[in-house]
């Protein structure tokens, strides 16, 4: 037999066919997904089909209940709630009609003789289809060979997935209905047979392998797998996968539950928590499932009959009852069972309870409202009666001492418990290891001895005081101690050899802590505002966090393996804390120390060979810092704005930022690994000794007191410096610049805002210099840079910044004409610059580079004296002339040979009137706020961004300029009042006259300037991004 499956995946047809609106058993308010409800419903179908197959031995099914017809009816369901008819999904066995059997193995293309291989034909027809029955009689008992099938959309919702599936039967032969096209050839509407054969997929999975794969699936996915093929249906219904019947919070009827128990009699676990009529269901389960081991109930009333029948469920090992009234509420509830091992009755309403279970090991009565509990459980080891507020002290005592093997007892929130009860428990339960007496206000433990305890929890016990520590000290096996919110506790002094974990949180009167334990590995102390002294001895403690201990003044640590300490916001710590973490102290392996916001620290000094990270953030009153930590890699000094002296000798730092210490006056650094040092803003730094042989970057900007001798010493000890920033260092002079010859790798030098007059030491010493910044050097004269364009100084120089300088027009022109190797030039704010004219006429040799102004450089042909003088190509890529108020004309013709120029910025040049640029590689041009601009000529085929914001240029000029800019992407013409269009006697900013001609036809709807301008740019295929009037 061939199985034909048409799978459709799509979300468009979900609404057409509807989704499963109701739950598996009609529960419309169920929070579970429809996929889960549908998946579980299929179980009945799957198992019934399997039983019919076993009964008849063939593969032809009765189309009624449990047959193929029913499965097809399910697959083609459209909007009908699943589970409306309980019998529809839990059908009885049906016999097949005579003559309806077929031998499956006769079709060798479908499966082999061992039933180990299924042949699946799958097709993707380009849309979402399922093959469903056309028969209107779902319960017709006629054989499936009489049924006709068609292909129609039928999506089924599974957890936000769309799955359409059906089965299809033919007329008794193995011919594929999809292969038949009513006698037509492959042409036409029929699906080509050859194409079907090409899409054939063979699946070779043995039953054992399939069983192994299915073992990883949950019930929902097992039901999905059952719809794939017959082999998968049989494999997914194996009882190994259905040993747990989980109906938690499902609206299942008693008949449906009984049917499931009948189908899976070997189920070992049942969960009917939240199901309706749980008493009837659980009685059915106990009478039908003889292998039941785990039973979970809740949210429903359990009658006396359940507890009486409980003893007949012989193999039951675990019983869980949660949030349920037990019995009629006025009589004792007996729970008698000889094999029950785990019993949990939580949040249950019952007057009295009696438990007699000889094998019981764990019992939980947590949050139940019983007033009395009688226990006869000689093997009980774990008892939880937490939050049983109605239990009296005598009842608790009686229950606990009746379990001599008790190891764990939770009686938290039992306010009636007294020290006498604890004393009786200690005498009777000699194996008690875990005790939780939290929120028991009447206990003090002063006369209680619990030597075998390993875990003791005493949260919010108002009777616990310092005198209680004497009793706790006798618990020499104690490993975990929790004393949170013990409001009367003032001090703790314990010597417990096995203690590993201690908690002290929100102890308002706690003052002194002294611990000695070689195995202490975790200590949590927080929000103890009165704590001022801590003394800890441990060989296992690795991390100590004592944040926000505002009164802590004394810390004594003997912790050989302590690696991390966090003392943030301990405002009372003094300078003596430094001695605790030095090499001679008790923390020889400390790696990380956090002292953030410790405002009482004034002089910090550490001598540690193990310290790797130090944080002093927010320590505002530190004035002196002395670190001798050769392995120190990180130090954080943010907020140390009063630091005056800092010594790092030696340290393992790779980078250091002292720019946040404006009062730093003396500095000494010995860091063999340091590569970056920032002293920006240390305005009073006058003494600096920097010995960092690997240093590559030094930022000493705004160090106004830094002098030549300091610079010379630094250059001698740091020969690998590549970047040196001396911005606003007015004390640096000729001698300091001369020492730069000791820096052979120097490539960036920033001397902006200095009082330099002579740059000769720079030209002679920095032969590898690539970037030179001379912003606002007001004392430089026109001859200060002559060495650059007359003598060829700094041959490697690429970037030159002369912004806000006082150089005259001629000096700038000669510099730009001769230094053709420059790639980036900044002339922002140069008031002496009037024009940027790189054009010249024949014979105007004065405008040519001076190094070419000689006879040998002139090239003439014959008597043509008008032949141009050959010039080298300029390497200039970026030219900035922002805010040059006196510049009026910019002319860059082809003869200027600016073949590499890609960015030109002339914004804020208020007097600029004419721009004429011919440049083949120019991509970016900024003329924003050039309010006097009138003439714009551009021949820049690669221009992509043009900014004309707030320019008074006309629309005609813009149009003419854009004709040669064919790949423009961004055009900014915001606030350009003269760039307008006229449409229906209405002026709209943002277009040009040529666009106006294009819009002479009547306008049917109101349009904005933005719309017109976008159409204008789209018309010329020029602009991808247009900015008009802030849009």
């Amino acid at each position: 037999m061939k199985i034909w499956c048409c799978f459709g995946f799509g979300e468009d047809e979900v609404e057409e066919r509807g989704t499963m609106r109701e739950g598996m058993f009609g529960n419309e308010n169920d929070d579970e997904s429809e996929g889960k409800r549908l998946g579980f419903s299929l179980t009945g179908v799957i198992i019934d089909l399997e039983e019919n197959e076993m009964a008849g031995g063939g593969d032809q099914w009765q189309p009624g209940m449990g047959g193929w017809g029913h499965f097809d009816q399910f697959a083609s369901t459209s909007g009908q709630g699943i589970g409306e008819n309980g019998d529809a999904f839990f059908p009885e066995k049906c016999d097949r009609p005579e003559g309806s059997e077929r031998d499956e193995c006769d079709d060798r293309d479908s499966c082999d003789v061992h039933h180990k291989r299924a042949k699946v034909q799958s097709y993707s027809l380009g849309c979402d289809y399922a093959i469903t029955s056309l028969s209107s009689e779902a319960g017709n008992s006629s054989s499936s060979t009489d049924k006709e099938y068609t292909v129609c959309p039928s999506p089924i919702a599974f957890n936000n997935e769309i799955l359409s599936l059906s089965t299809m039967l033919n007329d008794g032969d193995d011919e594929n209905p999809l292969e038949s096209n009513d006698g037509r050839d492959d042409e036409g509407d029929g699906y080509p047979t050859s194409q079907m054969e090409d899409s054939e997929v063979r699946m070779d999975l043995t039953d054992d392998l399939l069983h192994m794969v299915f073992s990883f699936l949950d019930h929902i996915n097992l039901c999905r797998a059952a719809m794939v093929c017959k082999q998968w249906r049989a494999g997914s219904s194996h009882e190994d996968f259905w040993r747990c019947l989980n109906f938690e919070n499902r609206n299942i009827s008693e008949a449906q539950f009984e049917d499931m128990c009948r189908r899976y009699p070997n189920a070992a676990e049942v969960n009917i928590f939240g199901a309706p009529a749980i008493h009837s269901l659980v009685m059915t389960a106990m009478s039908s499932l003889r292998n039941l081991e785990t039973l979970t109930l809740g949210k429903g009333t359990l009658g006396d009959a359940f507890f009486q029948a409980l003893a007949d469920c012989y193999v039951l090992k675990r019983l869980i009852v949660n949030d349920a009234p037990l019995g009629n509420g006025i009589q004792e509830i007996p729970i008698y069972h000889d094999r029950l091992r785990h019993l949990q009755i939580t949040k249950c309403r019952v007057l009295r309870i009696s438990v007699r279970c000889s094998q019981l090991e764990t019992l939980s009565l947590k949050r139940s409202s019983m007033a009395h509990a009688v226990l006869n459980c000689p093997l009980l080891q774990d008892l939880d009666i937490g939050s049983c507020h109605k239990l009296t002290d005598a009842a608790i005592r009686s229950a606990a001492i009746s379990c001599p093997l008790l190891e764990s007892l939770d009686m938290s929130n039992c306010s009636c418990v007294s020290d006498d009860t604890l004393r009786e428990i200690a005498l009777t339960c000699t194996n008690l290891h875990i005790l939780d007496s939290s929120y028991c206000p009447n206990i003090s433990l002063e006369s209680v001895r619990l030597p075998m305890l390993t875990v003791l929890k005493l949260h919010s016990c108002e009777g616990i005081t310092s005198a209680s520590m004497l009793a706790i000290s006798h618990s020499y096996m104690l490993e975990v101690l929790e004393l949170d919110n013990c409001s009367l506790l003032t001090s703790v002094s314990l010597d417990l050899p096995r203690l590993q974990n201690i908690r002290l949180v929100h102890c308002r009167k706690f003052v002194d802590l002294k611990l000695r334990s070689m195995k202490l590995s975790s200590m949590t102390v927080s929000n103890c505002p009165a704590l001022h002294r801590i003394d800890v001895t441990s060989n296992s403690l690795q991390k100590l966090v004592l944040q926000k201990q505002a009164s802590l003044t004394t810390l004594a640590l003997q912790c050989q393996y302590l690696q991390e300490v966090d003392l943030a916001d301990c405002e009372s710590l003094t300078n003596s804390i430094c001695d605790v973490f030095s090499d001679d102290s008790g923390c020889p392996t400390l790696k990380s120390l956090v002292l953030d916001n410790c405002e009482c620290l004034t002089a910090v000094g550490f001598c540690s060979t193990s310290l790797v990270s130090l944080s002093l953030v927010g320590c505002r009153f530190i004035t002196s810092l002395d670190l001798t930590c050769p392995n120190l890699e990180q130090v954080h000094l943010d907020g140390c704005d009063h630091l005056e002296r800092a010594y790092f000798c030696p340290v393992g730092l790779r980078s250091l930022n002292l720019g946040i210490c404006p009062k730093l006056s003396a500095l000494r650094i010995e860091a063999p690994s340091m590569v970056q040092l920032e002293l920006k803003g240390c305005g009073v730094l006058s003494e600096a000794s920097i010995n960092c042989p690997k240093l590559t970057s030094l930022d000493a900007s705004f160090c106004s007191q830094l002098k030549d001798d300091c610079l010379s010493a630094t250059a001698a000890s740091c020969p690998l410096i590549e970047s040196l920033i001396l911005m606003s260092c007015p004390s640096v002079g000729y001698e300091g610049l001369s020492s730069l010859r000791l820096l052979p790798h120097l490539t960036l030098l920033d001397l902006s805002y200095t009082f330099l007059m002579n740059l000769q030491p720079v030209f002679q010493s920095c032969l590898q210099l690539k970037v030179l910044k001379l912003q606002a050097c007001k004392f430089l004269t026109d001859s200060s840079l002559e060495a650059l364009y007359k003598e060829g100084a700094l041959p490697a120089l690429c970037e030159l910044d002369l912004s806000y300088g006082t150089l005259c027009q001629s000096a700038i022109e000669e510099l730009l004409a001769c230094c053709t190797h420059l790639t980036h030039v900044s002339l922002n704010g140069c008031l002496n610059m009037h024009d940027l004219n790189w054009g010249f006429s024949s014979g105007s040799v004065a405008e040519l580079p001076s190094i070419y102004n000689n006879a040998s450089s002139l090239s003439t042909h014959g008597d043509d004296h008008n032949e141009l003088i050959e010039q080298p190509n300029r390497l200039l890529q970026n030219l900035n002339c922002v805010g040059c108020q006196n510049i009026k004309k910019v002319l860059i013709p082809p003869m200027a040979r600016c073949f590499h120029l890609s960015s030109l910025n002339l914004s804020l040049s208020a007097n600029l009137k004419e721009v004429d640029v011919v440049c083949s590689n120019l991509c970016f041009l900024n003329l924003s706020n050039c309010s006097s601009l009138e003439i714009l000529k551009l021949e820049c085929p690669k221009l992509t961004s043009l900014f004309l914001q707030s320019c008074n240029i006309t629309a005609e000029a813009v149009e003419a300029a854009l004709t040669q800019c064919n790949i423009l992407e961004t055009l900014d013409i915001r606030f350009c009042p003269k760039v307008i269009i006229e449409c229906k006697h209405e002026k709209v900013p943002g277009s040009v006259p040529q666009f106006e001609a294009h819009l002479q036809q009547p306008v049917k709807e109101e349009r904005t300037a933005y719309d017109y301008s976008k159409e204008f740019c789209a018309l010329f295929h020029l602009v991808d991004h247009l900015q008009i009037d802030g849009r």
Side-chain angles (χ1 to χ4, degrees):
M1 180 185 70
K2 293 186 179 180
I3 304 176
W4 298 85
C5 303
C6 287
F7 294 96
F9 297 92
E11 297 180 358
D12 296 335
E13 297 184 4
V14 177
E15 297 299 329
E16 297 178 11
R17 299 291 298 166
T19 57
M20 299 306 175
R21 295 189 297 268
E22 297 185 6
M24 182 180 69
F25 303 109
N27 183 8
E28 297 180 356
N29 297 323
D30 192 359
D31 293 336
E32 297 293 333
S33 65
E34 290 181 356
K36 293 184 178 180
R37 295 192 287 266
L38 175 60
F40 192 80
S41 300
L42 285 176
T43 306
V45 180
I46 294 167
I47 300 305
D48 194 49
L49 293 175
E50 187 64 28
E51 291 175 355
N52 280 285
E53 179 186 5
M54 296 295 294
D59 63 349
Q60 185 173 358
W61 299 98
Q62 180 177 351
M65 294 300 185
W68 279 109
H70 171 74
F71 197 79
D72 292 329
Q73 177 188 0
F74 160 75
S76 60
T77 299
S78 174
Q80 182 178 359
I82 296 180
E84 294 178 358
N85 182 1
D87 296 336
F89 289 93
F90 296 91
E92 299 296 334
K93 295 182 179 179
C94 300
D95 296 331
R96 304 174 190 168
E98 296 181 0
S100 62
E101 299 180 357
R102 292 182 299 175
D103 189 357
E104 299 177 19
C105 295
D106 289 344
D107 186 1
R108 296 300 177 179
D109 294 333
S110 299
C111 60
D112 59 18
V113 295
H114 300 289
H115 300 279
K116 298 293 185 180
R117 177 181 302 166
K119 187 172 183 179
V120 179
Q121 306 285 348
S122 61
Y123 305 97
S124 176
L125 302 182
C127 54
D128 302 335
Y129 290 108
I131 306 175
T132 58
S133 174
L134 291 178
S135 177
S136 60
E137 299 178 1
N140 189 0
S141 61
S142 62
S143 65
S144 59
T145 58
D146 297 330
K147 298 177 67 65
E148 295 180 0
Y149 291 82
T150 186
V151 179
C152 63
S154 180
I156 299 174
F158 272 113
N159 293 340
N160 298 326
E161 300 176 8
I162 304 300
L163 174 61
S164 301
L165 177 140
S166 180
T167 60
M168 182 172 69
L169 301 177
N170 49 34
D171 295 330
D173 55 4
D174 292 333
E175 180 182 358
N176 187 344
L178 291 181
E179 292 179 357
S180 175
N181 52 12
D182 297 331
R184 291 172 295 177
D185 295 331
D186 292 343
E187 295 84 15
D189 298 334
Y191 199 86
T193 303
S194 60
Q195 185 174 352
M196 290 185 177
E197 293 177 354
D198 292 340
S199 62
E200 182 177 293
V201 179
R202 294 185 65 88
M203 300 174 58
D204 192 3
L205 291 176
T206 64
D207 291 343
D208 293 337
L209 181 58
L210 198 63
H211 187 89
M212 182 183 299
V213 174
F214 283 173
S215 66
F216 295 96
L217 302 182
D218 56 15
H219 288 173
I220 299 301
N221 287 317
L222 283 171
C223 291
R224 291 174 179 169
M227 295 187 291
V228 174
C229 65
K230 181 178 178 181
Q231 183 196 14
W232 284 35
R233 185 177 69 248
S236 62
S237 62
H238 198 281
E239 64 177 7
D240 287 351
F241 308 136
W242 300 92
R243 293 193 178 276
C244 174
L245 302 182
N246 188 352
F247 300 96
E248 183 175 353
N249 293 321
R250 294 188 181 277
N251 190 12
I252 182 174
S253 68
E254 185 176 354
Q256 293 166 342
F257 183 75
E258 183 178 355
D259 186 76
M260 291 302 298
C261 293
R262 177 179 58 82
R263 296 180 183 278
Y264 300 106
N266 293 324
E269 181 176 349
V270 172
N271 185 348
I272 52 176
F273 177 86
I278 62 170
H279 180 78
S280 301
L281 299 183
V282 71
M283 297 301 292
T284 301
M286 290 193 298
S287 61
S288 303
L289 305 177
R290 293 302 177 182
N291 295 322
L292 187 61
E293 297 180 357
T294 301
L295 185 58
T296 302
L297 314 170
K299 287 191 176 180
T301 302
L302 293 174
D304 297 335
F306 164 71
F307 297 101
Q308 294 175 2
L310 193 62
D312 297 333
C313 195
Y314 301 109
V315 298
L316 188 66
K317 296 181 180 179
R318 181 184 297 270
L319 175 61
I320 301 174
V321 183
N322 183 29
D323 194 11
L326 306 183
N328 55 16
I330 60 174
Q331 62 184 15
E332 182 177 275
I333 296 298
I335 301 179
Y336 302 155
H337 200 284
D338 293 335
R339 296 188 179 183
L340 193 65
R341 296 182 180 272
H342 307 281
L343 176 60
Q344 179 177 326
I345 301 178
T346 58
K347 296 178 64 176
C348 292
R349 293 172 291 282
V350 60
L351 181 62
R352 295 167 57 91
I353 189 169
S354 175
V355 181
R356 187 177 67 193
C357 301
S358 58
Q359 300 295 324
L360 194 65
E361 297 177 358
T362 63
L363 172 61
S364 175
L365 303 175
K366 196 177 187 71
R367 301 179 65 183
S368 295
S369 60
M370 67 204 60
H372 191 72
V374 178
L375 304 183
N376 186 1
C377 309
L379 300 182
L380 189 66
Q381 299 178 5
D382 189 336
L383 175 60
D384 185 355
I385 54 175
S387 300
C388 293
H389 301 288
K390 294 185 178 181
L391 281 179
T392 63
D393 187 32
I396 295 174
R397 182 187 314 169
S398 174
I401 63 178
S402 64
C403 308
L405 299 182
L406 199 63
E407 296 181 359
S408 175
L409 175 60
D410 184 350
M411 53 183 183
S412 57
N413 273 295
C414 294
S415 56
C416 297
V417 178
S418 64
D419 283 344
D420 294 337
T421 296
L422 289 178
R423 193 180 306 108
E424 290 286 340
I425 293 174
L427 293 175
T428 305
C429 305
T430 56
N431 293 325
L432 188 64
H433 297 313
I434 301 174
L435 176 61
D436 188 349
S437 298
S438 301
Y439 301 95
C440 296
N442 296 326
I443 63 173
S444 64
L445 298 181
E446 293 184 8
S447 59
V448 180
R449 298 293 183 265
L450 296 166
M452 300 304 293
L453 273 186
T454 58
V455 177
L456 178 59
K457 297 182 180 181
L458 298 171
H459 294 229
S460 301
C461 293
E462 298 177 359
I464 298 298
T465 63
S466 300
S468 305
M469 297 301 106
L470 179 61
I472 295 176
S473 64
H474 288 86
S475 301
Y476 61 92
M477 302 290 290
L478 196 63
E479 298 178 359
V480 177
L481 176 61
E482 298 183 2
L483 299 169
D484 294 358
N485 205 22
C486 293
S487 56
L488 299 180
L489 185 63
T490 58
S491 64
V492 172
S493 179
L494 294 173
D495 187 352
L496 298 173
R498 296 177 180 268
L499 187 64
Q500 300 177 12
N501 189 337
I502 185 171
R503 282 180 55 90
L504 288 159
V505 180
H506 291 290
C507 298
R508 297 191 302 271
K509 296 183 179 181
F510 188 54
V511 175
D512 191 3
L513 173 62
K514 184 176 182 180
L515 293 176
R516 180 180 177 84
S517 175
M518 294 298 103
K519 293 187 176 183
L520 184 65
S521 58
S522 176
M523 187 174 81
T524 303
V525 180
S526 65
N527 293 300
C528 299
L531 181 63
H532 68 81
R533 184 177 183 274
I534 295 179
D535 187 351
V536 179
T537 301
S538 172
N539 285 339
S540 301
L541 189 63
Q542 296 184 359
K543 183 176 182 179
L544 177 61
V545 178
L546 298 171
Q547 296 180 353
K548 297 183 179 181
Q549 304 302 321
S551 301
L552 184 62
T553 58
T554 305
L555 183 63
L557 299 176
Q558 293 294 326
C559 305
Q560 299 298 317
Y561 298 99
L562 186 62
Q563 297 184 7
E564 299 180 34
V565 175
D566 189 346
L567 297 171
D569 298 297
C570 294
E571 300 174 356
S572 300
L573 286 178
T574 62
N575 297 334
S576 61
I577 194 66
C578 301
D579 298 333
V580 178
F581 302 109
S582 296
D583 280 341
D584 297 334
S585 64
C587 304
T589 61
L590 185 67
K591 293 183 178 180
S592 175
L593 177 60
V594 178
L595 294 171
D596 296 348
N597 300 312
C598 295
E599 297 186 352
C600 290
L601 297 178
T602 57
V604 175
F606 292 101
C607 180
S608 173
T609 56
S610 62
L611 193 62
V612 175
S613 176
L614 174 65
S615 180
L616 296 169
V617 175
C619 298
R620 298 183 296 122
F621 298 102
I622 292 181
T623 59
S624 175
L625 180 63
D626 188 355
L627 299 179
T628 305
C629 307
N631 294 314
L632 185 66
E633 297 178 358
Q634 296 180 358
V635 60
H636 304 281
L637 300 173
D638 298 343
C640 298
D641 46 14
H642 287 76
L643 186 62
E644 298 178 359
R645 296 176 299 277
Y647 302 99
F648 304 85
C649 308
V651 291
L653 296 172
R654 292 183 56 84
S655 63
L656 178 62
N657 181 8
L658 294 173
I660 34 80
C661 304
K663 295 186 178 182
L664 186 66
S665 59
L667 174 65
R668 182 182 177 186
I669 300 178
E670 293 183 11
S673 302
M674 184 173 293
V675 296
Q676 182 177 358
L677 176 61
E678 184 172 342
L679 303 174
K680 185 177 182 178
C682 297
V684 297
L685 182 62
S686 58
E687 300 178 8
S689 174
I690 303 173
N691 185 8
C692 305
K694 294 184 179 181
L695 189 67
T696 59
S697 176
L698 174 60
D699 186 351
S701 53
F702 300 99
C703 294
S704 56
Q705 302 298 323
L706 196 64
K707 295 182 171 49
D708 288 346
D709 55 347
C710 180
L711 182 59
S712 300
T714 302
S717 58
C718 307
L720 300 181
I721 291 180
E722 299 176 2
S723 173
L724 179 60
I725 301 177
L726 299 174
M727 178 190 297
S728 295
C729 294
S731 300
V732 174
Y734 187 91
E735 295 183 0
L737 295 180
S738 299
S739 65
L740 299 183
R741 67 181 181 277
L742 302 175
L743 304 177
H745 303 284
L746 187 64
T747 57
L748 186 151
L749 178 62
D750 190 347
L751 297 173
S752 302
Y753 297 92
T754 57
F755 301 150
L756 296 175
M757 301 176 59
N758 186 0
L759 295 177
Q760 198 63 29
V762 176
F763 298 148
Q764 295 176 354
S765 305
C766 307
L767 300 181
Q768 302 297 324
L769 198 64
K770 295 181 180 180
V771 180
L772 178 60
K773 296 184 179 182
L774 299 170
Q775 294 184 21
C777 292
K778 302 294 185 179
F779 292 92
L780 291 180
T781 62
D782 296 342
S783 60
S784 299
L785 298 176
E786 287 185 354
L788 283 178
Y789 54 83
K790 289 186 177 180
E791 302 175 7
L794 303 181
L797 190 66
C798 297
E799 182 176 343
L800 178 62
D801 191 347
L802 298 173
S803 301
Y804 311 105
T806 57
L807 296 182
C808 65
Q809 173 78 16
S810 59
I812 293 176
E813 287 181 349
E814 283 195 273
L815 178 66
L816 294 176
C818 298
C819 297
T820 57
H821 56 282
L822 293 177
T823 60
H824 294 72
V825 176
S826 295
L827 299 171
N828 303 327
C830 292
L831 299 179
N832 294 331
M833 187 174 179
H834 301 289
D835 287 316
L836 186 61
N837 188 350
W838 286 353
F840 48 87
S841 60
S842 59
S844 56
V845 180
E847 295 178 355
L848 297 177
S850 59
I851 57 176
Y852 292 94
N853 192 9
N854 52 66
S856 62
S857 64
L858 300 176
S859 176
T860 60
H861 300 276
D863 297 328
D864 189 3
H865 60 278
N866 293 327
E867 189 72 27
L868 298 180
I869 301 175
E870 183 178 358
Q871 303 181 73
N873 293 337
R874 301 176 189 266
L875 300 181
L876 187 64
Q877 300 176 11
N878 191 314
L879 177 60
N880 294 321
C881 297
V882 177
C884 296
Q885 299 295 329
N886 295 324
I887 192 171
K888 297 179 180 179
K889 180 179 180 181
V890 174
L891 176 61
I892 305 180
M895 61 188 68
R897 307 183 69 84
C898 296
F899 300 131
H900 300 278
L901 185 63
S902 60
S903 176
L904 178 60
N905 193 346
L906 300 168
S907 60
L908 296 173
S909 298
N911 295 314
L912 180 62
K913 294 183 177 181
E914 180 181 354
V915 175
D916 187 351
V917 178
V918 180
C919 186
S920 58
N921 283 314
L922 189 66
C923 300
F924 177 91
L925 177 59
N926 191 353
L927 298 171
S928 300
N929 294 287
C930 296
S931 55
S932 301
L933 185 63
E934 298 176 355
I935 301 174
L936 179 61
K937 298 179 181 180
L938 300 177
E939 190 174 339
C940 307
K942 294 185 179 182
L943 187 66
T944 59
S945 300
L946 175 60
F947 294 87
L948 298 172
Q949 179 181 346
S950 301
C951 293
N952 288 324
I953 191 171
T954 63
E956 292 81 359
V958 175
E959 179 186 2
L962 295 181
T963 56
Q964 299 295 325
C965 305
N966 298 322
I967 63 172
L968 191 65
E969 297 176 357
T970 301
L971 174 61
D972 187 352
I973 51 176
R974 292 174 295 174
F975 313 112
C976 296
K978 293 184 179 181
V979 180
I980 60 175
I981 64 172
E982 295 182 3
C983 183
K984 302 295 288 185
H985 307 288
E986 189 178 47
K987 292 184 179 292
V988 184
S991 188
V992 296
Q994 184 172 346
F995 185 50
E996 295 173 27
H998 178 65
L999 295 176
Q1000 291 301 319
Q1001 64 271 20
V1003 180
K1004 296 183 179 180
E1005 59 183 2
E1006 184 178 355
R1007 312 178 75 180
T1008 64
Y1010 184 70
D1011 298 328
Y1012 287 125
S1013 301
K1014 286 195 69 176
E1015 292 187 17
F1016 160 63
C1017 297
L1019 178 65
F1020 292 101
H1021 306 286
L1022 296 177
V1023 180
D1024 292 338
H1025 180 70
L1026 180 67
Q1027 294 182 349
I1028 303 171
D1029 296 336
R1031 299 181 60 182

